[in-house]
Amino acid sequence: MGKRSAEKSGPISSQQKRAKRFQQVRERFKNPQNSFDISPGMKGFFVSCTRGREQKSASETIDLLEQYATQLYPGIEEDIENENEGEPGDEPAPTGGDIEDEIAREIASMKSKSRPKLFRYYFTTIECVVFIKCHRKIDPEKLAHFIFEDLVKTKQRKTRYTSRLIPAKVTTASKIDAIVKGATEVAHELLADDAEPTTFAVSINIRYCDDIKRDDIIPAVAAPLDVKHKVDLKNAKYTLVIEVFKSICTIGLVENYNALRRFNLMTLFDEPEVKASKPTPALKAEDVSDEAQADGETA
């Protein structure tokens, strides 16, 4: 009897240790923070950040986006609240005088006072990469340009851990046909019959996806634009930014991409480097994404 008691109160057995490890692993994979929930059809922002600071980057980026979204879209929160009030399933609060009705009215009042979410953070399971979904009323390309124009004007650094803030106007599967279709949708104004000739470039980064190569994407995406517009890899007015990660691809069209430091919040205020006056080799189309990777990106 004493021996059995000693066995029970003694060190944890190997079987118990295995059971504990199994439980920890199971709980870890049940955690939605460890799932990849980004899907085609979403729009928002592709964000690169300092390693190990993904959540802090997401938090400060959402604060930044909310600050400028309310300036670019005055009254947007009220508009969304009014839309939500009219959705099916919304019922008016009871007007009776008993305690239960009073509690119900209080809860309804608290819900009505809560701010609608304009942006939501999605975990990517990739170090240094964050995805932030935006409300359908928000145009991520316009908002991103609005933010960078103001930051250049005020010269105020408002983030600490966030590097590149890239608008994702369209999100597709990481398949060549889907990417070409998405790029055509994003660049529809440049492809219009009445569009004036301009300059363009294509920037591509691929992470954790072996099914597709950038040398396959560049010609397919650039061909329709090349009919009317001219390629300029250094000072293009418009840049089609394509970010492929795992099974997802985000696409956005931005202006003055290189002039705005490739939309990198960390290097936006850095002084331009003085380069020696020696001949440099011509930049090839396949070097576009390498150049973006070298510009202070931590991913």
Side-chain angles (χ1 to χ4, degrees):
M1 189 71 176
K3 185 177 180 181
R4 290 180 181 177
S5 299
E7 288 177 353
K8 288 183 180 181
S9 61
I12 300 175
S13 67
S14 59
Q15 185 176 359
Q16 288 174 312
K17 288 181 180 179
R18 285 196 299 271
K20 185 177 181 180
R21 283 199 299 269
F22 174 77
Q23 179 70 16
Q24 289 173 341
V25 171
R26 188 173 65 176
E27 291 298 324
R28 175 181 158 195
F29 282 96
K30 281 172 62 179
N31 185 351
Q33 284 274 308
N34 292 289
S35 59
F36 187 83
D37 294 328
I38 305 167
S39 58
M42 291 183 175
K43 68 175 183 176
F45 295 86
F46 173 93
V47 179
S48 65
C49 62
T50 305
R51 190 183 307 276
R53 297 291 186 268
E54 289 81 8
Q55 290 190 0
K56 290 184 177 180
S57 171
S59 178
E60 68 178 11
T61 302
I62 288 176
D63 288 342
L64 179 74
L65 293 172
E66 286 181 343
Q67 175 187 344
Y68 283 96
T70 52
Q71 296 177 28
L72 184 62
Y73 301 96
I76 186 173
E77 294 180 336
E78 290 77 8
D79 293 342
I80 296 173
E81 283 179 357
N82 294 334
E83 284 185 1
N84 293 339
E85 286 177 2
E87 289 182 354
D90 289 345
E91 299 179 358
T95 56
D98 59 14
I99 296 177
E100 291 183 358
D101 289 343
E102 187 176 346
I103 294 173
R105 285 197 301 272
E106 185 68 23
I107 293 174
S109 175
M110 291 173 64
K111 287 183 178 178
S112 66
K113 291 178 182 177
S114 62
R115 292 175 57 191
K117 283 190 175 182
L118 301 180
F119 304 95
R120 180 171 296 178
Y121 160 51
Y122 278 77
F123 194 70
T124 64
T125 71
I126 302 174
E127 287 185 327
C128 308
V129 174
V130 170
F131 183 81
I132 296 175
K133 180 183 177 183
C134 68
H135 192 273
R136 57 183 174 79
K137 286 181 171 288
I138 295 174
D139 185 329
E141 292 174 348
K142 290 182 179 178
L143 181 56
H145 194 72
F146 181 68
I147 291 172
F148 277 88
E149 273 192 332
D150 185 70
L151 292 177
V152 169
K153 187 188 304 181
T154 60
K155 298 188 181 300
Q156 292 183 356
R157 191 183 298 274
K158 298 189 177 183
T159 55
R160 181 178 179 183
Y161 304 105
T162 304
S163 298
R164 296 170 68 231
L165 179 64
I166 306 299
K169 184 70 171 286
V170 169
T171 303
T172 72
S174 56
K175 304 294 182 182
I176 185 68
D177 294 341
I179 295 174
V180 172
K181 182 180 178 181
T184 303
E185 180 182 342
V186 170
H188 70 280
E189 292 185 1
L190 295 181
L191 297 173
D193 294 336
D194 58 349
E196 294 190 6
T198 184
T199 56
F200 79 96
V202 179
S203 175
I204 299 176
N205 290 304
I206 301 176
R207 300 170 177 81
Y208 296 95
C209 181
D210 298 328
D211 299 332
I212 195 166
K213 306 297 181 185
R214 67 177 185 183
D215 291 341
D216 298 329
I217 301 175
I218 292 174
V221 168
L225 293 169
D226 204 23
V227 173
K228 181 178 288 190
H229 309 294
K230 182 180 178 181
V231 176
D232 186 343
L233 300 182
K234 291 186 177 180
N235 299 300
K237 183 176 181 181
Y238 295 98
T239 301
L240 200 61
V241 185
I242 300 174
E243 300 286 345
V244 179
F245 54 105
K246 291 194 172 183
S247 60
I248 291 296
C249 172
T250 66
I251 308 171
L253 184 69
V254 299
E255 292 186 49
N256 303 321
Y257 185 59
N258 286 342
L260 293 174
R261 297 301 181 94
R262 302 180 184 89
F263 280 40
N264 192 320
L265 293 168
M266 285 189 174
T267 61
L268 184 63
F269 306 108
D270 292 350
E271 294 293 332
E273 295 181 2
V274 179
K275 297 182 179 180
S277 57
K278 61 180 180 179
T280 56
L283 188 65
K284 299 179 181 179
E286 57 267 23
D287 296 328
V288 175
S289 59
D290 282 345
E291 188 180 29
Q293 287 278 8
D295 186 39
E297 186 180 348
T298 54

